[in-house]
Amino acid sequence: MKAKGTQRLDKVLSSLGIATRSELKKMAKQGRILVNGEIVKDTSFHLNPEQDHIHVDGQAVTYKKYIYLMLNKPPGVLSATEDLRDRTVIDLLTEQEKHFAPFPVGRLDKDTEGLLLLTNDGKLAHQLLSPRKHVDKTYFAKLDGVVGEEAIFSFQQGIQLDDGYVTMPAVLKLIGDAIQSNEIEITIQEGKYHQVKRMFEAIGRKVIYLQRIRMGNLDLDRTLPLGSYRTLTETELVQLQSIHKSKRAIKLLALDVDGTLLRDDHSLSEVNIASVQKVAASGIEVVLCTGRGAPSALPVFQQMGLSGTIISHNGAATVNGDALEVQQQIEIETPIYKELLVMLRNSQLFFDVSTATSLFVENLIPEAKKMYDLYEVEPEFISDFESLDGGVVKVTVYEPDPVRLDDFQQTLSKIMPAGITMVRSGIYFIDFMVPSVNKGVALAHYAKSRGYIPEQVVAIGNYNNDIEMLHYAGIGIAVSNSTQEVLEVADFVVASNNDDGVSDAIASYVLES
């Protein structure tokens, strides 16, 4: 059995671009490879590349897993790994560096110059690029005309782009005489397509030259000619890595209920109970999030011996405490709600209607009763959904046959009324809500009301209706049996809900943060 931390000799040397595995095999037989001063003729030999000393043809081999390069990107070169027509930043590297398969961290437009980090360290790249990490990116720009002091205030408030998106606040610095100069520095924390150019276009100015001069705490080396690059110094690398190592104290833990905190059989394990209780005892606020109504999550709080806030109906309502006091709700407009009722009745599928704290049904099919019993929810019978004239936050279709629900979703997506959105919140469920509703927006609103910033929030989820919640939180965690879309946006992945994944996440990223 190989020792922990060891690798095959041929894997180590081929990963460094020394030679191919077949070439290394011949070199070893010729006695040209030494490990700790001893000739090694079998390239399947295991060694610790970070501790053992390797020599090939008398030359010491320095092992490194990752490569970190600072490039002063020239204009006319694409920030990509390959392209069929244009040169890319990877084409500027030597074959030895290409062997590490580096990629650009973010992108600069084809005509934009300046600082670009190239690495094969995916974790560091994610930390630098994730919008919720709020990493500053500073640019020097020349404009086709001057901008005044009023532009500074406008950029501080966020600029509405041509597609309606409002940017995060940006810092604008006027260089030289504000009346005469057309040169500026701008610091943003996002990376939307052509963002800096579009921000200035929104205030009537055109960017005629753009250069990135800083990313996080890494400054462009002004001695690097355009198209040149160098390895980051140890100090620069430590400074970059400190961006994601520095943490603020966690203040809030947001937990999806079904499929995350609860097992597939809807049970709550003793391990997860104990872990969440430790979180609450440490002073960290616990918020439960669910696609269903707050009454379905209330028994979970009670089983843990806790009370708190519930973000329900995929974010359409936020309620506090055992009394289910409504803090916020987003209602479906009555005309849209009634139009939706007609469409759903025509489908002949079972559906229920929710207000912030109540669940209504006109009838009850056996499959739905089993589902409500599992969730410990007691629906209220109503003679006609039409009588609910206001206060409706969500309408949910429940269909035990996923294939039939797929067909329904495909058909209805083509005729959806304006002012309503359709969200597949599980294999058997489709929710209809106001388009602006999602768990992430509700969590952000609640956190702000409590004075928390995203870096003080940890969110754990498993399904697509949790994606915005994971995006918002400073640390977004998925359990291992999450959908692929959720796994792709999560910062970390832990054990599945059936293997006490919440407990794993709490131990690694909440209590130890």
Side-chain angles (χ1 to χ4, degrees):
M1 181 180 294
K2 68 176 182 177
K4 185 176 180 180
T6 64
Q7 298 181 44
R8 284 175 57 114
L9 175 62
D10 53 3
K11 180 180 179 181
V12 172
L13 294 179
S14 62
S15 72
L16 296 173
I18 303 296
T20 65
R21 291 199 181 194
S22 59
E23 291 170 339
L24 290 168
K25 195 171 184 179
K26 295 177 182 178
M27 295 167 67
K29 289 181 178 180
Q30 295 168 356
R32 297 162 59 187
I33 302 176
L34 281 70
V35 176
N36 297 327
E38 300 290 333
I39 294 175
V40 176
K41 293 191 174 184
D42 182 1
T43 55
S44 67
F45 174 80
H46 277 82
L47 75 161
N48 188 322
E50 296 181 357
Q51 297 177 3
D52 295 320
H53 301 288
I54 310 172
H55 286 76
V56 176
D57 290 337
Q59 299 294 316
V61 175
T62 301
Y63 174 78
K64 54 183 176 181
K65 183 177 181 181
Y66 297 117
I67 186 172
Y68 305 92
L69 303 174
M70 176 195 294
L71 169 70
N72 188 0
K73 178 189 169 300
V77 178
L78 297 182
S79 299
T81 55
E82 59 181 349
D83 190 84
L84 296 177
R85 294 181 301 177
D86 295 309
R87 278 203 312 164
T88 73
V89 291
I90 303 303
D91 294 327
L92 302 176
L93 307 181
T94 66
E95 290 302 318
Q96 184 176 0
E97 285 140 352
K98 290 178 184 178
H99 190 82
F100 285 89
F103 53 86
V105 178
R107 66 185 305 276
L108 294 178
D109 298 335
K110 184 176 180 180
D111 59 347
T112 299
E113 302 177 2
L115 175 64
L116 189 63
L117 176 65
L118 303 175
T119 184
N120 57 346
D121 186 345
K123 185 175 181 180
L124 177 62
H126 173 75
Q127 298 294 337
L128 293 172
L129 295 176
S130 175
R132 57 177 172 265
K133 301 302 179 184
H134 306 296
V135 176
D136 289 339
K137 305 170 187 67
T138 301
Y139 297 80
F140 167 77
K142 293 182 180 179
L143 311 176
D144 66 346
V146 299
V147 292
E149 299 284 346
E150 69 280 359
I152 296 177
F153 177 78
S154 297
F155 276 64
Q156 287 175 343
Q157 303 305 304
I159 297 292
Q160 183 171 341
L161 304 181
D162 48 9
D163 59 1
Y165 176 80
V166 178
T167 68
M168 292 175 61
V171 177
L172 181 63
K173 177 182 177 182
L174 308 181
I175 298 177
D177 187 342
I179 299 177
Q180 300 294 329
S181 178
N182 67 336
E183 297 182 351
I184 60 91
E185 281 187 12
I186 177 175
T187 299
I188 62 176
Q189 295 181 336
E190 300 170 285
K192 301 295 182 183
Y193 180 69
H194 290 324
Q195 181 171 334
V196 172
K197 297 174 182 177
R198 293 165 65 199
M199 291 177 75
F200 281 103
E201 287 173 359
I203 63 170
R205 283 288 173 257
K206 182 178 180 180
V207 174
I208 57 178
Y209 174 79
L210 190 62
Q211 177 194 43
R212 183 156 69 191
I213 59 176
R214 187 176 303 110
M215 185 175 188
N217 46 21
L218 180 65
D219 289 298
L220 174 65
D221 183 344
R222 302 303 180 102
T223 66
L224 275 178
L226 283 172
S228 297
Y229 59 90
R230 64 167 173 79
T231 300
L232 293 189
T233 66
E234 285 296 324
T235 300
E236 289 169 336
L237 181 56
V238 169
Q239 288 175 337
L240 270 185
Q241 292 171 332
S242 69
I243 289 176
H244 69 275
K245 287 183 179 178
S246 60
K247 297 180 180 178
R248 298 175 183 263
I250 302 300
K251 299 291 186 181
L252 187 153
L253 171 62
L255 283 170
D256 171 56
V257 176
D258 298 308
T260 301
L261 177 60
L262 299 182
R263 294 174 173 174
D264 288 346
D265 63 2
H266 212 70
S267 66
L268 182 59
S269 74
E270 293 298 326
V271 173
N272 278 349
I273 289 176
S275 294
V276 177
Q277 287 174 334
K278 285 182 182 179
V279 170
S282 73
I284 297 173
E285 183 174 0
V286 177
V287 172
L288 297 184
C289 305
T290 177
R292 303 298 297 173
S296 70
L298 189 58
V300 179
F301 256 142
Q302 294 169 342
Q303 191 175 345
M304 294 187 294
L306 303 173
S307 179
T309 296
I310 300 171
I311 292 175
S312 64
H313 303 303
N314 288 328
T318 301
V319 300
N320 299 112
D322 294 340
L324 299 182
E325 177 186 352
V326 179
Q327 183 189 57
Q328 182 188 28
Q329 63 180 16
I330 302 175
E331 301 178 15
I332 301 173
E333 294 182 8
T334 299
I336 297 173
Y337 164 65
K338 291 185 176 180
E339 183 180 353
L340 180 62
L341 288 182
V342 174
M343 298 171 67
L344 295 181
R345 285 200 171 100
N346 289 339
S347 73
Q348 298 184 329
L349 296 177
F350 176 82
F351 64 96
D352 56 35
V353 175
S354 297
T355 61
T357 57
S358 299
L359 176 69
F360 297 95
V361 295
E362 289 181 333
N363 54 68
L364 199 55
I365 61 175
E367 294 87 350
K369 185 179 185 311
K370 291 180 182 178
M371 180 259 298
Y372 292 136
D373 290 343
L374 182 65
Y375 293 150
E376 299 183 49
V377 173
E378 189 68 36
E380 299 181 34
F381 282 88
I382 190 172
S383 60
D384 191 346
F385 286 138
E386 291 274 356
S387 63
L388 291 173
D389 192 12
V392 173
V393 297
K394 181 166 69 70
V395 178
T396 300
V397 170
Y398 170 65
E399 171 50 54
D401 181 356
V403 176
R404 189 179 181 202
L405 197 60
D406 290 341
D407 294 339
F408 165 75
Q409 182 177 7
Q410 186 175 6
T411 299
L412 203 60
S413 64
K414 302 174 183 177
I415 55 174
M416 282 288 295
I420 196 81
T421 189
M422 176 171 54
V423 177
R424 186 69 172 265
S425 59
I427 298 175
Y428 309 111
F429 303 98
I430 291 180
D431 295 323
F432 297 88
M433 307 167 298
V434 174
S436 61
V437 166
N438 64 64
K439 290 181 183 177
V441 170
L443 179 60
H445 184 276
Y446 180 73
K448 185 176 181 181
S449 74
R450 301 284 288 146
Y452 306 146
I453 60 175
E455 287 83 355
Q456 296 172 320
V457 178
V458 175
I460 311 176
N462 82 310
Y463 206 74
N464 292 20
N465 56 355
D466 298 320
I467 287 176
E468 289 84 359
M469 182 174 78
L470 301 192
H471 264 305
Y472 165 76
I475 300 177
I477 303 171
V479 292
S480 62
N481 55 344
S482 300
T483 66
Q484 185 60 36
E485 293 85 352
V486 174
L487 294 173
E488 289 175 355
V489 303
D491 292 311
F492 304 102
V493 178
V494 294
S496 78
N497 61 317
N498 296 315
D499 299 308
D500 301 321
V502 165
S503 177
D504 285 357
I506 287 171
S508 299
Y509 305 109
V510 181
L511 295 179
E512 295 299 321
S513 63

